[in-house]
Amino acid sequence: QVTFIDSPLQPAAVDRTAAHLQRSIGQNTWTAQAMTLPKAPQRERFTVTVLDDHINEPMEVTILPSGRVLFIEREGKVKLYDPLVKQTKTIGTLDISTEGNYEDGLLGLALDPHYEQNNWIYLFYSPRGGESRQHVSRFRLAYEDSLIMSTEKVILEIPVQRETCCHSGGGLEFGPDGLLYISTGDNTSSKESDGFSPLDERPGRAPFDAQKSSSNTHDLRGKILRIALETDGTYTIPKGNLFPNHGRDGRPEIYVMGCRNPFRFAIDAKTGYLYWGDVGPDGGKDGPQGPQSYDEWNQARKPGNYGWPYFVADNKAYTAFDFTTLEVGSHFDPQNPINESPNNTGSRVLPVAEVPFMWYGYGTSVTWPMLGRGSRSAMAGPVYYQPAQSSNAALPDYYSGKLFIFEWARSWIKTLSFDDQGNLTQVEPFLPDVAISKPIDIEFGPDGAMYVLAYGANYFADNEDAQLIKLEYAEGNRLPVPAITANKTVGPTPLEVTLSASRSFDYDHQDSLHYRWVLNNSTILSGETVQHVFDEAGDHQVTLWAFDKSGDSTSSYININAGNSPPNIAIDFQSNRSFYFGNTKHTYQVRVNDLEDGATEAGSIPSSAVIINFNYLPQGEDLAELGPNLFKKSTKYLKGRRLLDGSDCATCHDYQVVSRGPSYEAIAQRYFNDPSSEPVLAQKIISGGNGNWGNTLMAAHPQHSLEETLEMTRYILSLAPEAQTSGLPLQGHVSTLEHNSNESQGKYLLTAYYQDQGNGIATALDTYETVILGSPKIQAEAYDDFSGVAKQRPRGGALEYVGTNQSGSFIVFNQIDLRNITHLTCRVRVRGAAQIQVHKDNPQGAIWSQATVSGSGDWQEIRLPVNSGTGIHDLYFTFEEASVETGLSLNIDWILFESSILSTR
């Protein structure tokens, strides 16, 4: 039996009773079980500290007894973070193989259980040169300061193929019994299996046949191994592995077989249970070859076979597909799995296939909807237990015995709870508001604090959002929360900056804070507000330390960019800047000035350096979060850009840089001139595919509709250089020709973008300006602010409007250009009489328009004259009762702004 709940980690979760849904594995029976949940920890008692954000492809982390943090990077560096000096340094570099981006490299790290006596650490890595292989090696760490390369002792060598990608595994963990567990991937490409299981038995196709590894009893790949280490650097086989020590039935090192890529795993220190996440294939739908793709979390209480490549999820079976004839054979039998591949060097008859305790696909899981949807990469972190010694940083007892799982592709962490028999009882998010970009390892330190490595957005890249993060919990005195504000963060040298900590706070209100400022790791200032002059050009880091009266402290930082001034852009627009009125022509001129680069009017900034576009967005997108990145290219397909950024596409793609997949700009360059490519690419986003961009299989995205993927495709294709030739000159005319006269949601955008040339070592800066023209017909319920009104909709009706019976109520529309506006028409419904007034900038501001309306409850259109005026103002539509006897009963549906240039009535 599996019970589960998605319980938010917030104070509202205190002592609440919830209905747990209970599902029997392999059945469709559900029952409800009432449970009272324990009090969840308060979010504000957690402190999140970024220890290092200048790391490249971090892999695994471990914490030394001294509190120093040891971690590794895939390209071979072993690094040490020292909390005393708050700095990271490289203490060793391995010569590794990363050819072809086959996921090899420096992958695994573990600390010897007796480290304080022997100073041994263990690394899983891919040595360069010689036969293709992986090494598990022991090294000595001298003075917690240097990795002594000459002390390497290769404990285990794992032969691999490097003809094609993928799945290297590489995790290292010690169990409570002192045994070393090692994860290995199936070392098999699924590129040419259409997202199904790679079972290609044709001659010369062993790299595409996972039967050579995962289901091969005499191969160490696609497994979790378990060995006992000896002091001389050799190993022995412990009791209780899957196969006997004599090795005739299978390699005795194997504890678990039938894995695809058990990249991160953990062993419960009290129960000894093994947990791991297994990353599934890439198919987005069921087919003749077998089921769609699933990821799994597994629990092994004893050794076993977990089914890959014959089964996935709850033993959904693949078929014996013939890659030569394309004939579909019979389904494999989980009770009697047989490996008849010519690439198999082990036993033909395999152990019975076990079932994972959680599995999920691309779409929303019916059983575990809290896991989300999209790309998948399941990983298992540690099981938490409170440290033996009391600590001010340890997570609370609420988490004792819980397994921390994490999703690399979806960037979240959750906890799993179990009953006394080890059965899953609860799933809940862990700090969902903390942004961690693709967590790749989690460990707990001796003090019970949590350490997280964030890999960052892109595959095989030195990501800006890669981080080493520490999470602490304060049971008593809560740590202060430092916050920095600066009157300027960029500008020419000498740059005088005022820094303030006034927005910092402490959850324990009786505490008073004092502050220390550290500039570029040297200059130290004190006080809530300080001033400093940055004389040298470049990026300067400013760190604020906030101390409470107990002496506890935390820090935050910002960067100051000195030596360059941001450019200024002005758009001189001769028409109304809020609305479009019919099919009219508008005159504009763009001026750019930059202190270092010069000005467009002087010719020192060429017109070609300024990107100017005019586009119509028929859907009326939410433009509240527009920023410079959206204006480097045409805004015509802004909806597609939003869909891309909101999807999981960033897992494999970047706009300009090659990641796991090609960049969007490379895709645009290849397909821009092919008129048939748009529907093909849109469908490929949904169904996945391979073969066009190297060895990597493109994952399916069945969570998107075809309409959505068409929008995404149009935006991608708009990134081609040929698509940018329609950029506008610095001055000219634009016409509002694309909207439908009945449409009220579309918007025209005139945008200008410029990035300056930088100034020596100072970072280049960019800025943008935009004129947004909306429909002159505004729905009343689209207000920007309100008081005393409510949005209303009649039962079963589609019409939405604003209603009020409170005299003095109002709705507000921000930043309306009054130029050439001559009348307002409003669709209203009133019982009795009401007075409508339109004020500038506040409810008591100058009256721009007003009327008294009477009626018996029928909808009517009223036309209001306006006072002459120009400028951009916030307009307050206020509603007052016209008579005490009838009171106020008013509904307002829409407002139409009419122009002297062209009436749209």
Side-chain angles (χ1 to χ4, degrees):
Q1 291 276 311
V2 176
T3 61
F4 60 90
I5 189 169
D6 193 19
S7 147
L9 181 59
Q10 54 187 9
V14 174
D15 294 331
R16 66 201 184 282
T17 300
H20 278 220
L21 292 176
Q22 190 172 51
R23 182 179 189 271
S24 298
I25 293 179
Q27 302 177 13
N28 290 319
T29 57
W30 300 80
T31 60
Q33 177 185 11
M35 294 186 65
T36 300
L37 300 179
K39 181 179 179 180
Q42 294 174 304
R43 166 63 183 91
E44 62 267 22
R45 291 193 173 275
F46 289 88
T47 301
V48 182
T49 305
V50 177
L51 304 181
D52 192 345
D53 59 1
H54 291 84
I55 54 182
N56 179 19
E57 289 197 83
M59 287 287 111
E60 271 203 297
V61 62
T62 191
I63 296 82
L64 303 177
S66 65
R68 293 179 177 181
V69 183
L70 192 68
F71 64 96
I72 58 175
E73 297 176 341
R74 190 179 73 91
E75 293 191 351
K77 291 184 178 180
V78 181
K79 290 189 169 183
L80 183 74
Y81 173 82
D82 189 337
L84 294 179
V85 297
K86 297 180 173 25
Q87 291 181 352
T88 299
K89 69 176 182 178
T90 300
I91 62 171
T93 302
L94 279 70
D95 187 19
I96 62 163
S97 171
T98 58
E99 291 91 350
N101 282 345
Y102 290 162
E103 301 183 0
D104 286 349
L106 177 53
L107 304 174
L109 166 68
L111 203 66
D112 191 277
H114 306 290
Y115 170 81
E116 290 182 282
Q117 289 75 47
N118 57 36
N119 301 127
W120 289 337
I121 69 168
Y122 301 85
L123 299 175
F124 184 116
Y125 73 100
S126 314
R128 188 188 304 276
E131 296 291 330
S132 297
R133 67 212 185 278
Q134 310 283 25
H135 279 178
V136 177
S137 291
R138 187 185 75 190
F139 294 85
R140 186 167 65 85
L141 189 61
Y143 310 109
E144 294 192 356
D145 188 66
S146 300
L147 188 66
I148 309 302
M149 305 302 295
S150 61
T151 64
E152 179 181 11
K153 180 69 177 179
V154 179
I155 294 170
L156 181 64
E157 188 170 277
I158 304 166
V160 297
Q161 64 84 19
R162 290 193 183 133
E163 299 170 55
T164 185
C165 192
C166 283
H167 311 149
S168 300
L172 297 177
E173 296 287 340
F174 280 93
D177 49 9
L179 301 179
L180 178 63
Y181 292 72
I182 306 161
S183 75
T184 63
D186 71 359
N187 193 213
T188 301
S189 174
S190 58
K191 172 181 176 291
E192 298 178 26
S193 303
D194 294 328
F196 298 102
S197 183
L199 304 171
D200 195 339
E201 299 177 357
R202 291 175 292 177
R205 300 286 293 175
F208 299 85
D209 182 10
Q211 297 171 106
K212 71 179 181 301
S213 54
S214 295
S215 58
N216 186 342
T217 59
H218 286 66
D219 193 285
L220 296 180
R221 293 170 292 177
K223 313 292 194 301
I224 297 180
L225 315 176
R226 189 176 72 155
I227 59 177
L229 300 179
E230 303 296 328
T231 57
D232 62 358
T234 62
Y235 69 88
T236 58
I237 305 301
K239 294 182 179 180
N241 278 0
L242 186 57
F243 301 113
N245 284 9
H246 57 67
R248 291 188 295 272
D249 299 332
R251 288 289 296 263
E253 297 93 341
I254 298 171
Y255 184 73
V256 163
M257 67 177 292
C259 301
R260 187 171 187 260
N261 194 21
F263 191 66
R264 288 290 172 258
F265 65 93
I267 305 99
D268 189 321
K270 291 191 176 180
T271 65
Y273 295 166
L274 170 66
Y275 296 96
W276 71 96
D278 208 352
V279 182
D282 302 289
K285 59 183 179 180
D286 299 341
Q289 291 173 245
Q292 64 179 286
S293 175
Y294 293 89
D295 275 27
E296 302 174 357
W297 276 286
N298 289 279
Q299 178 196 73
R301 307 182 189 186
K302 58 182 178 61
N305 173 24
Y306 281 78
W308 181 258
Y310 304 123
F311 316 101
V312 72
D314 54 338
N315 277 346
K316 301 180 193 299
Y318 292 102
T319 61
F321 182 75
D322 190 317
F323 281 76
T324 301
T325 66
L326 303 184
E327 293 180 356
V328 177
S330 60
H331 286 84
F332 294 102
D333 180 3
Q335 295 302 311
N336 184 33
I338 304 295
N339 185 348
E340 296 186 301
S341 170
N343 301 306
N344 178 29
T345 59
S347 302
R348 175 177 174 273
V349 178
L350 306 179
V352 171
E354 306 290 340
V355 178
F357 72 92
M358 294 181 74
W359 61 90
Y360 61 108
Y362 287 113
T364 301
S365 168
V366 174
T367 311
W368 296 283
M370 71 289 295
L371 301 180
R373 65 179 195 167
S375 290
R376 315 169 328 273
S377 195
M379 300 189 184
V383 178
Y384 176 74
Y385 292 102
Q386 286 196 296
Q389 303 295 325
S390 61
S391 165
N392 293 329
L395 267 62
D397 190 57
Y398 177 85
Y399 292 106
S400 286
K402 294 182 188 288
L403 170 69
F404 282 75
I405 62 171
F406 52 106
E407 234 291 351
W408 184 86
R410 300 180 185 182
S411 294
W412 54 246
I413 302 172
K414 296 183 186 292
T415 62
L416 307 184
S417 302
F418 302 90
D419 61 21
D420 293 339
Q421 287 73 47
N423 300 312
L424 178 64
T425 61
Q426 186 172 311
V427 182
E428 58 184 313
F430 179 75
L431 303 187
D433 63 320
V434 177
I436 299 176
S437 181
K438 293 187 168 33
I440 200 165
D441 193 28
I442 297 175
E443 292 293 337
F444 288 99
D447 61 353
M450 175 188 281
Y451 295 81
V452 181
L453 279 178
Y455 180 87
N458 294 318
Y459 277 98
F460 309 126
D462 188 358
N463 293 304
E464 293 184 1
D465 51 353
Q467 296 175 323
L468 171 63
I469 301 168
K470 183 179 183 181
L471 295 99
E472 302 169 88
Y473 180 82
E475 186 64 55
N477 179 56
R478 286 171 285 188
L479 296 173
V481 180
I484 303 173
T485 57
N487 67 327
K488 61 187 77 169
T489 58
V490 297
T493 56
L495 180 62
E496 183 175 347
V497 178
T498 300
L499 300 160
S500 174
S502 61
R503 295 184 181 177
S504 305
F505 64 94
D506 193 286
Y507 288 107
D508 302 309
H509 299 294
Q510 71 274 17
D511 287 354
S512 59
L513 299 178
H514 64 279
Y515 305 98
R516 183 173 69 202
W517 301 85
V518 181
L519 284 61
N520 295 327
N521 297 317
S522 57
T523 303
I524 297 177
L525 304 172
S526 60
E528 183 178 284
T529 302
V530 299
Q531 290 183 324
H532 185 74
V533 177
F534 295 89
D535 294 310
E536 295 184 9
D539 289 329
H540 303 269
Q541 181 171 298
V542 175
T543 302
L544 168 65
W545 285 90
F547 297 83
D548 63 18
K549 68 179 184 181
S550 300
D552 291 328
S553 64
T554 49
S555 66
S556 65
Y557 70 90
I558 64 169
N559 288 312
I560 303 295
N561 184 353
N564 189 21
S565 300
N568 293 311
I569 297 180
I571 300 179
D572 182 7
F573 195 72
Q574 298 299 314
S575 305
N576 187 288
R577 298 176 73 102
S578 295
F579 306 113
Y580 56 81
F581 297 97
N583 300 331
T584 52
K585 182 181 288 187
H586 308 270
T587 302
Y588 74 91
Q589 182 175 5
V590 175
R591 297 181 176 87
V592 181
N593 291 278
D594 184 85
L595 183 63
E596 291 78 23
D597 296 357
T600 50
E601 290 185 293
S604 48
I605 295 179
S607 59
S608 59
V610 185
I611 299 173
I612 304 172
N613 283 290
F614 185 70
N615 295 122
Y616 179 64
L617 305 180
Q619 292 86 6
E621 298 296 320
D622 178 9
L623 305 177
E625 298 179 358
L626 287 177
N629 285 335
L630 292 178
F631 296 137
K632 293 180 181 180
K633 304 293 183 183
S634 171
T635 57
K636 184 175 183 180
Y637 301 111
L638 180 58
K639 181 178 181 180
R641 168 71 187 242
R642 287 264 173 83
L643 286 166
L644 278 175
D645 291 346
S647 181
D648 53 18
C649 299
T651 302
C652 298
H653 298 279
D654 186 80
Y655 282 87
Q656 295 175 308
V657 178
V658 176
S659 181
R660 187 176 181 87
S663 70
Y664 293 136
E665 289 190 359
I667 296 171
Q669 287 178 333
R670 175 179 289 189
Y671 294 107
F672 177 74
N673 291 316
D674 181 0
S676 65
S677 64
E678 186 177 297
V680 173
L681 293 175
Q683 184 57 50
K684 188 174 182 178
I685 294 173
I686 296 174
S687 59
N690 67 76
N692 293 321
W693 298 91
N695 295 321
T696 302
L697 187 70
M698 177 180 171
H701 298 82
Q703 71 270 24
H704 288 295
S705 67
L706 183 60
E707 180 183 358
E708 290 175 329
T709 58
L710 281 169
E711 293 283 355
M712 296 157 79
T713 299
R714 289 169 188 142
Y715 177 77
I716 292 171
L717 295 178
S718 77
L719 302 177
E722 300 93 323
Q724 306 309 312
T725 58
S726 59
L728 298 174
L730 290 174
Q731 58 184 347
H733 304 280
V734 294
S735 297
T736 53
L737 302 174
E738 297 184 53
H739 63 275
N740 184 309
S741 60
N742 295 320
E743 191 174 356
S744 62
Q745 299 302 312
K747 289 181 173 65
Y748 289 92
L749 271 70
L750 175 64
T751 62
Y753 169 87
Y754 176 70
Q755 182 178 59
D756 69 18
Q757 302 301 306
N759 185 21
I761 64 172
T763 303
L765 301 173
D766 59 9
T767 191
Y768 71 96
E769 182 62 38
T770 181
V771 174
I772 302 174
L773 303 179
S775 169
K777 185 177 183 180
I778 300 179
Q779 298 299 314
E781 65 272 14
Y783 53 69
D784 294 305
D785 199 0
F786 73 99
S787 176
V789 305
K791 294 181 181 180
Q792 297 177 353
R793 175 180 293 166
R795 182 173 299 175
L799 176 68
E800 189 173 19
Y801 49 84
V802 168
T804 182
N805 56 14
Q806 181 178 327
S807 191
S809 58
F810 60 78
I811 57 176
V812 185
F813 298 96
N814 292 338
Q815 298 297 287
I816 301 298
D817 189 350
L818 305 185
R819 185 187 323 190
N820 300 325
I821 303 298
T822 58
H823 291 84
L824 298 177
T825 295
C826 302
R827 186 172 189 261
V828 300
R829 181 170 64 182
V830 63
R831 296 181 186 277
Q835 186 180 56
I836 300 175
Q837 293 183 335
V838 185
H839 298 261
K840 296 179 182 178
D841 301 319
N842 64 74
Q844 289 78 41
I847 296 177
W848 182 58
S849 178
Q850 62 180 328
T852 299
V853 188
S854 60
S856 58
D858 295 324
W859 287 105
Q860 57 180 306
E861 294 182 13
I862 61 167
R863 197 167 189 231
L864 291 70
V866 302
N867 296 325
S868 61
T870 59
I872 296 176
H873 299 271
D874 295 340
L875 296 185
Y876 284 73
F877 286 72
T878 64
F879 312 116
E880 303 281 352
E881 61 184 14
S883 69
V884 177
E885 292 78 11
T886 60
L888 179 65
S889 176
L890 173 70
N891 300 129
I892 180 167
D893 183 14
W894 48 254
I895 301 158
L896 177 66
F897 291 79
E898 299 185 51
S899 172
S900 60
I901 303 300
L902 177 68
S903 174
T904 59
R905 292 197 76 237

